[in-house]
Amino acid sequence: DGALTLEEGPGPDAGGWTGDLYVKPEGGAMGRGIERWPAGTAADLAERCRGLTAHETYIIQPRIRNHPDLRPISNGNISAMRVTTYRTPQGGVEILLPVLQMPTGKTVTDHMMHGSVAAPIDPETGRLGGGYSYNARFIVSQHDVHPDTGARIPGREVPFWREAFELCRRAHKS
């Protein structure tokens, strides 16, 4: 007998919601359990929520869109920049292995385990290298174009990459 509670904040009003929603288990990892719900009525939302497991907490949030410069290299779902940082012996913070993960096919998530393509980001220029993906047998494929859109990946600049990297550096220092 699970109870549904809605927190205060932006969300559907009595007439329904106008944009897509993303729903994911709060404790989920690697893109498991993520769903995209299309716009609908308040009754649609209530019905969908009744279908969720009562023993798990879910995050329901409005769908956000990729920056227009990145839309050509996505299936319409959100791409994510993954940035690993490390602290130098002198106390500085450096960027290691930044990548942009781009969803493909019918996947909602950008995780490579689900078929997404990942491309390295040059920390100096913010430009993408060629993309890579792997299949269920872990056979790696290289992609110079996005498999769904045919848009070229290498050389494309990630918008606001410098600001994003600086945010990662500041976060690591805290």
Side-chain angles (χ1 to χ4, degrees), residues 83-148:
V83 180
T84 303
T85 58
Y86 69 95
R87 189 176 302 276
T88 66
Q90 297 77 23
V93 175
E94 295 296 327
I95 303 293
L96 178 69
L97 305 174
V99 298
L100 182 72
Q101 291 184 205
M102 303 156 274
T104 62
K106 294 181 181 182
T107 61
V108 175
T109 179
D110 66 348
H111 200 282
M112 288 183 72
M113 179 176 155
H114 301 289
S116 294
V117 172
I121 304 169
D122 182 324
E124 298 300 317
T125 66
R127 296 202 178 277
L128 297 175
Y132 295 89
S133 66
Y134 60 86
N135 65 18
R137 293 178 35 200
F138 297 101
I139 296 172
V140 176
S141 299
Q142 186 171 1
H143 303 273
D144 284 338
V145 298
H146 190 276
D148 299 328

